[in-house]
Amino acid sequence: LGTRYLATLGRVREAFAATYGRLSGGGAADLEPVDEDRGSAEASDPPSSIRPVGGLGLEVIVRPPGKKPTHLSLLSGGERTLAAIALLFALVQVQPAAFCILDEIEAALDESNVVRCASFLRELGSHGQFIMVTHQKSSMEAADRLIGVTMRDGVSSLVSIRLAG
Amino acid sequence: LGTRYLATLGRVREAFAATYGRLSGGGAADLEPVDEDRGSAEASDPPSSIRPVGGLGLEVIVRPPGKKPTHLSLLSGGERTLAAIALLFALVQVQPAAFCILDEIEAALDESNVVRCASFLRELGSHGQFIMVTHQKSSMEAADRLIGVTMRDGVSSLVSIRLAG
Amino acid sequence: MLLKRLEIMGFKSFADKVVIEFGAGVSAVVGPNGSGKSNLTEAVRWVLGEGSVRSLRGQRMEDVIFGGSPTRRPLPLAEVSITFDNSDGTLPLAFAEVTVTRRVDRSGGSEYCINRAEARLRDVHELLAGTGLSGNAYAIVGQGQVEEILAARPAERRAMVEEAS
Amino acid sequence: MLLKRLEIMGFKSFADKVVIEFGAGVSAVVGPNGSGKSNLTEAVRWVLGEGSVRSLRGQRMEDVIFGGSPTRRPLPLAEVSITFDNSDGTLPLAFAEVTVTRRVDRSGGSEYCINRAEARLRDVHELLAGTGLSGNAYAIVGQGQVEEILAARPAERRAMVEEAS
Ligand SMILES: Nc1ncnc2c1ncn2[C@@H]1O[C@H](COP(=O)(O)OP(=O)(O)OP(=O)(O)O)[C@@H](O)[C@H]1O
Ligand SMILES: Nc1ncnc2c1ncn2[C@@H]1O[C@H](COP(=O)(O)OP(=O)(O)OP(=O)(O)O)[C@@H](O)[C@H]1O
Ligand SMILES: [Mg+2]
Ligand SMILES: [Mg+2]
């Protein structure tokens, strides 16, 4: 297990905790190494998301604000999406990819979570390039530009878009 | 294959076509009996959604307005959701269940489709009881009442809600 | 037959007793991510005899009992009661109001009551036969599940139509 | 390295050639259900060498070629070109601009070009190594896929962190 991997893992755990803390308004999150012999500390019957496959794996532990650490499966749809987005944003912060494509990732979020994710993404946008498909107005408002797609008689084309009001 | 089933199937196909036509603004939809030996007319390698299992099954055929009939898998997320909702509403119209629970079924829909589904549901509501969980304002506006749920320190409770503006 | 009332106590995030009155037409359940909306719909599924723990996002049936929060101790049991207006005689019982109750504690299995008389799960199933609420009812669509009706195998869709016959 | 431009011709619903200029920061792709937004993101995946037809929602690779509409005949081939600004030398090529092109027709397999010179798929993969865009990149999140990062097995998540190292 290389020292480089461990160094990166440390930075990803840090970024994950910080990002989730901000997106969730005070929650906690971590990645925990797990191995085949020892399952999750939280469940004796781990679902597929924590079934280690050969050697050390990483388990996701999330504690939304005001709640106790909960098994991922019991979290709500929006809470799971928020945790996933935080982990994604953490990987992007530690090792930016050339660009990042996000297709409707905020579908399960309520308005306040959409706004927090959009403003966080806006900050990430100053260091990297993001293409996000969205139906959410708040996400559109946080973007640097809009690319409009329309279809007529089964053929797609581009249109320029201005945000209303 | 009972005559009663065939009569019901006829009514479901009719309701499916009419409902999808309204929700999609002019599209067409049908249910086609398929059997094990003959797969779908549209694809030689049917995906799981049209793999008949013993005897006659029913395949879903959808043609959004302005497009040719398309394999379900190539449709967009919103188009698939709209077809699913139309089929669901068709079954409910043909044989109303005591009540119907819908948990965030419009997550993939754009605003105009949300509005069409909400107004259709409002009409269904005059003949049956529906409980819909939603984050969409247009769906809330079409409802007969709002049931607010809030959480504090990990405990859920009800709150009365008024729609803003 | 009309759904009148739902009483939830100790089920998932409902540590304090909550009474929800449902009217005719469309009721919209609203609130932030993680507030308890899906838990509420799962309480309905559960009291009607849902046997699959996984479909309730749990790993053991005791996962549906309030497990505590930073400010509240876990509870020993969960109980949900659902009350129907049966003045049209849909349910095969000579009562104008029918209440089904389900209770589970951390040690044992579930106990059922129908109008406060002890009952078995099969009594509940027999009571609900023909209401579209038992088994693989199309009438209850869980979060993220709306497209299931499209993914269903043709034979399963035929079964839904037969259910509607 | 910056993503400059995407040119799509004959790919899925883009029967007419479309040129999309991307700037720095966050670009939001918007439009109605079924207009072509996800098709656009799939064009990026495809030109970068995506091999799995199923992950592009198709059943055969020729499903990505415009299949016609009530008013347009099907097209014989699909071609996508993606152009990068390489003035910071991220890509191991001595060009300030690098264009990758992929073309497929109904009879054969895909052909690739890098800066108009014929190339093989492995040349494209080697070019993109280390940009976070090849293989199981976390940087491209398809519609409905955001929670995949949570469903991943611990060892897969470790691989993502290693990829980020
Ligand atoms: N047994 C339990 N004890 C205490 N809390 C629980 C229990 N089971 C689930 N919860 C909590 O309930 C919350 C999820 O609630 P629910 O799924 O109803 O949210 P929701 O309102 O539907 O949110 P969303 O809009 O994101 O779908 C989680 O935070 C989870 O921790
Ligand atoms: N090979 C093809 N030829 C013609 N049209 C195609 C082809 N492949 C897909 N389409 C059409 O493209 C449409 C789907 O486009 P896409 O998935 O990009 O929509 P979208 O804008 O992402 O919508 P949503 O907001 O619902 O996700 C479908 O209507 C489908 O019929
Ligand atoms: Mg929910
Ligand atoms: Mg899409």
Side-chain angles (χ1 to χ4, degrees), chain D residues 30-101:
Chain D
V30 301
N33 288 135
S35 56
K37 307 179 297 296
S38 296
N39 289 349
L40 193 158
T41 67
E42 286 174 337
V44 174
R45 252 206 185 125
W46 184 73
V47 73
L48 297 180
E50 179 60 64
S52 156
V53 173
R54 276 189 80 228
S55 77
L56 297 171
R57 293 178 288 166
Q59 296 177 314
R60 289 173 294 276
M61 197 43 98
E62 83 169 288
D63 287 343
V64 308
I65 304 172
F66 177 73
S69 76
T71 56
R72 294 283 295 258
R73 310 177 62 80
L75 289 174
L77 65 94
E79 182 177 299
V80 176
S81 291
I82 189 165
T83 301
F84 299 102
D85 177 332
N86 188 39
S87 33
D88 63 1
T90 310
L91 297 171
L93 247 82
F95 291 96
E97 247 190 42
V98 177
T99 297
V100 177
T101 302

Side-chain angles (χ1 to χ4, degrees), chain C residues 2-7 22 81-85 97-100 115:
Chain C
L2 215 66
L3 164 61
K4 276 187 79 158
R5 174 186 324 121
L6 186 69
E7 296 167 80
F22 293 101
S81 291
I82 190 165
T83 302
F84 299 102
D85 177 333
E97 246 189 44
V98 177
T99 296
V100 177
N115 280 1

Side-chain angles (χ1 to χ4, degrees), chain C residues 84-96:
Chain C
F84 299 102
D85 177 333
N86 189 39
S87 32
D88 63 0
T90 311
L91 296 171
L93 248 84
F95 291 95

Side-chain angles (χ1 to χ4, degrees), chain C residues 103-137:
Chain C
R103 179 187 303 145
V104 72
D105 62 32
R106 294 193 180 274
S107 58
S110 296
E111 297 171 6
Y112 294 85
C113 290
I114 297 177
N115 280 1
R116 308 201 178 292
E118 262 189 51
R120 301 157 303 172
L121 172 58
R122 59 181 280 180
D123 299 323
V124 175
H125 282 320
E126 276 174 36
L127 180 72
L128 298 172
T131 60
L133 293 174
S134 53
N136 273 330

Side-chain angles (χ1 to χ4, degrees), chain B residues 5 56 80 95 103 144 156, chain C residues 13 26 35 38 138 147 158:
Chain B
Y5 166 75
L56 273 170
R80 289 172 57 90
Q95 181 66 15
D103 197 339
D144 295 296
S156 295
Chain C
S13 55
V26 182
S35 56
S38 296
Y138 50 83
E147 287 187 27
R158 184 190 71 206

Side-chain angles (χ1 to χ4, degrees), chain A residues 103-104 133 135, chain B residues 76-78, chain D residues 33-34 36-39 57 143:
Chain A
D103 196 339
E104 290 193 37
V133 179
H135 288 291
Chain B
S76 80
Chain D
N33 288 135
K37 307 179 297 296
S38 296
N39 289 349
R57 293 178 288 166
Q143 192 163 357

